[in-house]
């Protein structure tokens, strides 16, 4: 009796510990997609029709030849274009780039051509600078920084091709260092972006989105960049551009969707964004896109949906001034999530995980959203994903834990969907996180749904791989299960009706004994 009382007390404390652990884990999970960024550099390979491919460029230039090119550009004839074209093609070689910035007066000469009265010379000089900005050598990029005032000035020009080139060059330089970003912020890059967002040219808008997204991904963005972006009124323009029709400016919309994701994930002032209607507009856009996916095929639409889904998920974990989580009461969002999961499950499984993450954020601590999943009979769809990857499976189990945790009525509904038989089959998998989540869900069931006890025994719960049984988290959850099931084991094993399953139940009893000892 002493041993049993001691075990019972330990198990009751363990159950509460399990609930705390699960809440902490799920809180971390709800924030998991705040820091996943896509920093990169881009090189516009199609800036002219006579470009050579990188493979065609031969690294045969010596330092003397590079110095001669600089001299030709500086002191040559009025027609500097052929020399600039030759230089641009040569700069595709990383060694030539280093030679060029080391040549005396090279950058001063190149930047000086930005003020040339001939547009073709200006453009070719800008292309040379663009080649340099795409370098992964910090010294090369640092040499480009004196050109930033000119790049920003020409963003108010009338040539969309030149503006696009300047924007991609700035985007490449933004990546390079905090010093470069600080310089650009002081020079007014945010107000300049605001002007670029009014451009009627899609190429300029897309390039602006790229450069802005690079700036918003900086490690210091939440302190230095996002506050300026919010003050400048860029967010309403970003939302406006996101609502373009799918056929128009698709690449541009993708860029700005990621911009908005980085703003939201910074958590600088998401309540302000929500009060300004960002969440409502995103929800409407998301529902519209989900409906569109079911009607026509749009290649690459998952690239647009992914950041939008992440924005929704991040906004749904915010709390208002009263400390209450932001909640939405539009069942269309839940339906749209399931539509996209079914649509993308074969070719783009990552979208299933993204949608499940949002569903997790919606159902956590929200009985209305959890009830909607049950009322709309969407549980069978969730169970279909049990055959997917480990990451998807863990997310499905997390959502089911959210729903079951609301009490007997929810557990009873899930029990009627034959959830337990699916869970016991999952216990044989080699993934410890899956095993832990299955046991968590079983513990919730046993707390709220006593009739589940016999089903767990009948399905022989201990299909757990031997390698898992020494895991402390698995052991802790098995001890909690034993607290509920131990009184049933002796009755079950002596019942003549249970002879077919006796071996499985005995295995269960033996494992419980090993856990206690």
């Amino acid at each position: 009796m002493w041993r049993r009382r001691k075990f019972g007390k330990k198990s009751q404390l363990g159950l509460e510990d399990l609930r705390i652990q699960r809440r902490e884990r799920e809180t971390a999970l709800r924030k998991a997609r705040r820091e996943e960024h896509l920093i990169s550099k881009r090189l516009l390979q199609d800036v002219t029709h006579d470009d050579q491919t990188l493979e065609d460029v031969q690294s045969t230039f010596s330092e003397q030849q590079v110095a001669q090119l600089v001299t030709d550009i500086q002191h040559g004839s009025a027609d500097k274009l052929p020399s600039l074209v030759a230089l641009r093609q040569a700069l595709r070689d990383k060694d030539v780039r280093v030679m060029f910035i080391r040549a005396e007066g090279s950058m001063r000469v190149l930047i000086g051509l930005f003020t040339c009265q001939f547009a073709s010379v200006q453009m070719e000089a800008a292309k040379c600078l663009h080649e340099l900005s795409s370098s992964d050598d910090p010294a090369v990029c640092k040499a480009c920084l004196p050109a930033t005032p000119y790049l920003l000035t020409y963003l108010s020009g009338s040539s969309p091709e030149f503006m696009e080139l300047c924007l991609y060059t700035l985007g490449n330089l933004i990546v390079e260092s905090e010093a470069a970003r600080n310089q650009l912020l002081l020079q007014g890059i945010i107000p300049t972006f605001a002007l670029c967002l009014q451009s009627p040219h899609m190429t300029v808008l897309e390039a602006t989105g790229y450069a802005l997204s690079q700036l918003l991904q900086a490690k210091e963005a939440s302190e230095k960049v996002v506050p300026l972006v919010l003050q400048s009124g860029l967010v309403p323009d970003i939302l406006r551009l996101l609502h373009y029709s799918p056929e128009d400016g698709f690449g541009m919309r993708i860029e700005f969707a990621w911009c908005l994701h980085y703003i939201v994930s910074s958590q600088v002032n998401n309540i302000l964004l929500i009060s300004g209607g960002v969440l409502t507009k995103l929800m409407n856009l998301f529902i519209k896109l989900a409906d569109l996916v079911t009607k026509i095929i749009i290649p690459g639409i998952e690239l647009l949906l992914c950041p939008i889904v992440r924005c929704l998920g991040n906004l749904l974990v915010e709390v208002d001034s009263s400390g209450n989580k932001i909640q939405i009461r539009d069942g269309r969002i839940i339906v749209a999530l399931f539509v996209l999961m079914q649509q993308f499950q074969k070719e783009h499984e990552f979208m299933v995980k993204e949608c499940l993450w949002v569903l997790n954020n919606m159902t956590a601590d929200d009985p209305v959203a959890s009830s909607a999943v049950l009322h709309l009979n969407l549980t069978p769809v969730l169970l279909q994903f049990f055959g997917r990857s480990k990451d998807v499976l863990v997310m499905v189990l997390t959502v089911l834990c959210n729903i079951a945790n609301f009490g007997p009525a929810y557990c009873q509904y899930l029990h009627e969907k034959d959830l337990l038989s699916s869970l016991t089959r999952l216990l044989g998998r080699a993934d410890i996180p899956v095993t832990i989540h299955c046991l968590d869900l079983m513990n919730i069931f046993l707390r709220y749904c006593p009739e589940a006890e016999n089903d767990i025994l009948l399905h022989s719960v201990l299909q757990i791989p031997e390698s898992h049984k020494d895991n402390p988290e698995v052991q802790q959850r098995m001890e909690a299960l034993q607290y509920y099931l131990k009184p049933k084991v002796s009755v079950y094993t002596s019942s003549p009706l249970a002879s077919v399953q006796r071996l499985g139940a005995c295995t269960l009893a033996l494992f419980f004994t090993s856990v206690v000892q």
Side-chain angles (χ1 to χ4, degrees):
M1 285 297 294
W2 173 84
R3 184 184 179 99
R4 185 171 184 179
R5 286 201 194 102
K6 182 179 179 182
F7 181 77
K9 183 176 181 182
K10 178 183 175 183
S11 296
Q12 288 178 341
L13 293 175
L15 287 174
E16 185 57 33
D17 290 340
L18 290 179
R19 296 179 69 180
I20 294 172
Q21 287 177 14
R22 190 174 66 253
R23 286 169 181 166
E24 291 175 349
R25 186 178 66 234
E26 290 169 0
T27 299
L29 178 64
R30 287 196 288 274
K31 299 178 180 179
R33 283 162 179 74
R34 296 186 186 279
E35 304 300 333
E36 295 182 19
H37 294 169
L38 301 173
I39 296 174
S40 62
K41 290 191 174 187
R42 295 188 191 174
L43 179 64
L44 297 182
Q45 293 284 7
D46 58 343
V47 286
T48 62
H49 295 292
D50 61 344
D51 278 351
Q52 298 176 353
T53 63
L54 189 58
E55 291 75 12
D56 295 332
V57 178
Q58 297 180 354
S59 303
T60 57
F61 280 83
S62 64
E63 290 191 13
Q64 291 76 16
Q65 289 173 311
V66 173
Q68 185 60 51
L69 273 176
V70 175
T71 301
D72 293 343
I73 294 170
Q74 184 177 14
H75 301 295
S77 63
D79 186 8
K80 303 178 185 294
L81 202 57
S83 297
L84 280 169
V85 171
L87 175 63
R88 171 173 55 81
Q89 293 175 348
L91 287 174
R92 293 192 175 173
D93 181 80
K94 62 181 181 179
D95 294 330
V96 174
R97 293 169 181 169
V98 175
M99 294 178 194
F100 178 78
I101 65 169
R102 288 177 179 171
E104 185 177 356
S106 57
M107 291 303 300
R108 176 177 52 79
V109 171
L110 184 61
I111 293 172
L113 294 177
F114 274 40
T115 60
C116 177
Q117 60 180 327
F118 300 108
S120 58
V121 173
Q122 273 188 331
M123 177 66 82
E124 203 60 47
K127 290 175 182 178
C128 289
L129 187 68
H130 181 61
E131 292 285 348
L132 290 168
S133 74
S134 66
S135 172
D136 56 4
D137 188 328
V140 174
C141 293
K142 185 177 180 180
C144 298
L145 293 182
T148 56
Y150 297 94
L151 293 170
L152 292 172
T153 298
Y154 285 122
L155 291 182
S156 58
S158 57
S159 169
E161 293 83 6
F162 196 70
M163 292 174 68
E164 178 190 19
L165 190 60
C166 290
L167 283 163
Y168 278 111
T169 303
L170 285 168
N172 289 342
L173 295 177
I174 284 168
V175 175
E176 197 52 45
S177 67
E178 186 175 354
R181 293 187 289 271
N182 287 339
Q183 175 177 308
L184 287 165
L185 289 173
L186 289 173
Q187 291 170 348
I189 192 170
I190 299 297
T192 304
F193 282 157
L195 290 175
C196 291
L197 290 185
Q198 310 308 317
S199 173
H201 303 287
M202 287 297 163
T203 55
V204 173
L205 292 172
E206 183 172 345
T208 304
Y210 164 71
L212 178 58
S213 71
Q214 299 291 76
L215 193 59
L216 288 167
Q217 293 177 78
K219 63 180 185 294
E220 72 278 7
S222 60
E223 298 177 4
K224 298 181 179 180
V225 180
V226 176
L228 292 176
V229 169
L230 295 177
Q231 293 169 14
S232 67
L234 282 173
V235 174
D237 279 325
I238 290 174
L239 287 170
R240 170 179 59 83
L241 294 170
L242 281 176
H243 281 78
Y244 267 79
S245 63
E247 298 81 12
D248 198 9
F250 191 67
M252 175 270 296
R253 297 173 77 196
I254 292 174
E255 297 292 353
F256 284 113
W258 283 107
C259 286
L260 189 60
H261 164 59
Y262 300 136
I263 293 171
V264 170
S265 66
S266 71
Q267 294 182 281
V268 170
N269 199 341
N270 284 347
I271 294 300
L272 175 65
L273 294 176
I274 292 171
S275 63
V278 170
L279 181 57
T280 301
K281 292 177 182 178
L282 275 178
M283 286 165 47
N284 291 335
L285 175 61
F286 177 67
I287 292 168
K288 180 180 177 182
L289 289 173
D291 180 60
L292 194 64
V293 164
T294 64
K295 297 176 180 176
I296 59 175
I297 298 175
I298 305 177
I301 195 171
E302 70 279 358
L303 302 177
L304 174 61
L305 282 164
C306 182
I308 292 175
V309 168
R310 290 188 178 187
C311 284
L312 289 173
N314 283 329
L315 290 173
L316 287 171
V317 297
E318 294 296 332
V319 295
D320 57 24
S321 57
S322 302
N324 298 316
K325 191 184 82 168
I326 298 298
Q327 296 177 332
I328 57 175
R329 294 293 178 258
D330 191 337
R332 294 179 301 165
I333 292 293
I334 294 177
V335 173
L337 288 170
F338 276 86
V339 166
L340 292 180
M341 285 191 285
Q342 290 182 298
Q343 193 74 23
F344 290 122
Q345 62 178 319
K346 293 182 180 179
E347 295 185 1
H348 304 293
E349 190 180 85
F350 76 93
M351 280 301 302
V352 177
K353 187 168 66 172
E354 297 291 345
C355 291
L356 285 170
W357 176 65
V358 178
L359 188 64
N360 170 59
N361 289 5
M362 292 181 67
T363 55
D365 304 319
D366 188 348
V368 176
S370 297
S371 298
V373 173
L374 304 186
H375 177 72
L376 295 169
N377 196 30
L378 297 173
T379 308
V381 181
L382 287 175
L383 298 183
Q384 289 176 8
F385 297 130
F386 273 14
R388 313 303 298 186
S389 68
K390 179 192 74 173
D391 291 339
V392 168
L393 185 50
V394 167
M395 289 302 308
V396 171
L397 291 169
T398 304
V399 170
L400 291 171
C401 281
N402 290 344
I403 296 172
N405 207 43
F406 284 110
Y410 295 83
C411 287
Q412 180 63 41
Y413 181 92
L414 294 174
H415 184 46
E416 292 172 358
K417 297 297 179 181
D418 201 25
L419 175 59
L420 285 176
S421 61
S422 300
L423 288 181
T424 53
R425 287 194 294 271
L426 292 178
L427 287 172
R429 290 178 59 113
D431 306 310
I432 287 182
V434 172
T435 300
I436 290 173
H437 280 75
C438 286
L439 294 175
D440 277 341
L441 192 48
M442 287 181 175
N443 274 297
I444 295 173
F445 260 75
L446 290 173
R447 182 185 306 120
Y448 294 122
C449 192
E451 56 267 39
E453 296 175 355
N454 291 331
D455 285 344
I456 290 178
L457 288 171
L458 283 170
H459 288 297
S460 189
V461 95
L462 283 182
Q463 300 300 322
I464 301 174
E466 288 293 330
S467 59
H468 291 12
K469 294 177 183 178
D470 292 331
N471 182 279
E473 291 188 78
V474 172
Q475 285 186 345
Q476 188 180 23
R477 283 152 180 80
M478 287 306 304
E479 288 176 359
L481 277 177
Q482 180 185 9
Y483 171 72
Y484 282 110
L485 292 177
K486 191 174 183 181
K488 289 283 184 178
V489 172
S490 59
V491 175
Y492 176 76
T493 55
S494 63
S495 170
L497 298 176
S499 58
V500 177
Q501 296 293 334
R502 184 170 298 164
L503 179 59
C506 289
T507 304
L508 177 65
L510 288 172
F511 182 75
F512 283 159
T513 303
S514 67
V515 169
V516 177
Q517 293 173 348

